[in-house]
Amino acid sequence: MAEENLTRINKFLSEAGFCSRRAADKLIDQGRVTINGVIPEMGTKIAPGDEVKVDGQLIATEEKEKPNVYIAFNKPIGIVCTTDTKREKNNIIDYINYPERIFPIGRLDKPSEGLIFLTSDGDIVNKILRARNNHEKEYIVSVNKPLKPDFVKKMSNGIPILDTVTRECFVEQTGEKEFRIILTQGLNRQIRRMCEFLGYEVTKLKRVRIMNVPLDIPIGKWRHITKEELKEIDRLVNTSSKTQEASQLSELKKGTKPKGIKTKSGSTGKRPRKKS
């Protein structure tokens, strides 16, 4: 059969709206996927007519013909961002109970609340996760004790965690024990680890914006992302890598590193707040 008619198994599961390619790779590695009754190796390609199952459940290709679903959800504390409905009873999929198969883009850990996207479009997941400087995520964070005068500066300049140093970011103190932070990366439990390094414990963490989409729905509720919002997301994702490359080239020519921006409110970071 011609090579162009073959599809990698992880791409097939993604395009069928079952899960993201990354999640598909995990399922394959765990031996939970079969092709015509046989457990495949990573990277195996399938042909039209092949029978693909996950945990014994047949994955129908008809889903590909339906319009993709894009949802903004205000996740409550205690809900886990996983599609594994068998192993995690407090999962995001059962909580929303959407009539079509969807999966989350990225993660928001169990003790945190706020905005997260869900979709049936595997391609947009990969695009958003690959995006760099234009994939902003904004949070309001409370900690267990008053912030010291140097907290904002240290957080915004980068903190050594997980064998790396976090990127420079925008940070603004909004209360005695509260601050606002805008990240363009998604390390595991990043904000909690950053605060812990400086001697603080996060008591509340709420994501209030992803890219151009604000958190504007009650906790536990969801809405469809609008066509206008999707158009802007697509623009941000498609221009992100080009913008980043141009910025790096400019800095190399200058021989300087990006510096933080200070405002009247005492905030600092690589960029001021974007209006949502």
Side-chain angles (χ1 to χ4, degrees):
M1 180 170 290
E3 184 71 18
E4 59 266 24
N5 292 328
L6 303 179
T7 305
R8 286 185 180 273
I9 181 62
N10 61 352
K11 183 180 180 182
F12 171 83
L13 291 173
S14 174
E15 291 181 344
F18 186 83
C19 62
S20 67
R21 294 190 194 185
R22 184 180 301 178
D25 286 338
K26 291 182 180 180
L27 293 173
I28 296 166
D29 187 56
Q30 294 168 357
R32 297 167 61 185
V33 179
T34 61
I35 301 175
N36 301 325
V38 179
I39 297 176
E41 296 180 354
M42 197 71 69
T44 297
K45 294 184 178 181
I46 64 170
D50 283 343
E51 184 181 75
V52 178
K53 293 183 178 182
V54 177
D55 294 330
Q57 176 187 347
L58 180 65
I59 306 303
T61 57
E62 287 76 13
E63 293 294 326
K64 296 169 65 176
E65 303 301 322
K66 295 182 179 180
N68 284 316
V69 177
Y70 305 94
I71 284 175
F73 173 54
N74 189 348
K75 185 190 87 69
I77 294 172
I79 298 301
V80 182
C81 296
T82 180
T83 57
D84 195 340
T85 57
K86 293 184 178 181
R87 301 185 185 184
E88 177 55 65
K89 66 176 183 177
N90 295 319
N91 66 84
I92 194 170
I93 302 302
D94 285 343
Y95 185 93
I96 295 178
N97 195 29
Y98 194 77
E100 298 178 33
R101 185 177 297 279
I102 55 175
F103 46 90
I105 302 178
R107 302 181 65 85
L108 191 58
D109 60 22
K110 189 174 182 178
S112 302
E113 62 181 292
L115 185 62
I116 187 167
F117 294 162
L118 295 99
T119 184
S120 59
D121 182 358
D123 286 339
I124 198 173
V125 175
N126 297 316
K127 288 180 180 179
I128 289 179
L129 295 182
R130 281 199 304 265
R132 297 284 184 172
N133 51 311
N134 282 334
H135 183 191
E136 290 189 346
K137 294 165 290 183
E138 182 176 345
Y139 304 81
I140 300 297
V141 186
S142 297
V143 292
N144 62 329
K145 58 185 179 181
L147 301 176
K148 295 180 180 179
D150 61 352
F151 176 85
V152 168
K153 181 178 180 180
K154 288 182 176 180
M155 284 286 284
S156 62
N157 285 340
I159 300 293
I161 60 171
L162 299 173
D163 299 322
T164 188
V165 177
T166 59
R167 293 180 198 150
E168 292 184 3
C169 61
F170 178 87
V171 182
E172 178 183 36
Q173 184 169 350
T174 53
E176 183 183 30
K177 302 179 183 179
E178 183 185 89
F179 65 95
R180 182 169 65 94
I181 183 170
I182 301 175
L183 300 180
T184 56
Q185 65 185 140
L187 302 177
N188 181 257
R189 299 174 67 87
Q190 180 173 342
I191 296 174
R192 295 179 187 275
R193 293 179 189 274
M194 291 171 73
C195 288
E196 183 179 354
F197 181 85
L198 296 178
Y200 298 85
E201 178 184 347
V202 172
T203 57
K204 184 177 181 180
L205 192 154
K206 184 175 185 177
R207 184 153 66 196
V208 296
R209 178 172 65 88
I210 299 175
M211 303 175 82
N212 58 303
V213 181
L215 180 65
D216 56 5
I217 44 180
I219 191 165
K221 302 297 182 180
W222 60 268
R223 68 170 175 85
H224 289 289
I225 297 175
T226 67
K227 291 182 178 179
E228 291 74 18
E229 288 170 334
L230 282 172
K231 184 177 180 180
E232 178 64 6
I233 288 172
D234 187 61
R235 186 192 70 80
L236 291 171
V237 169
N238 288 331
T239 60
S240 179
S241 59
K242 294 179 181 179
T243 303
Q244 185 184 26
E245 289 170 4
S247 176
Q248 291 173 341
L249 180 60
S250 176
E251 295 298 339
L252 285 173
K253 287 180 178 179
K254 294 178 182 178
T256 59
K257 294 182 179 180
K259 295 181 180 180
I261 301 171
K262 291 191 176 182
T263 69
K264 293 180 181 180
S265 61
S267 61
T268 183
K270 293 184 70 177
R271 56 173 63 83
R273 181 183 185 183
K274 283 188 176 180
K275 293 183 179 180
S276 301

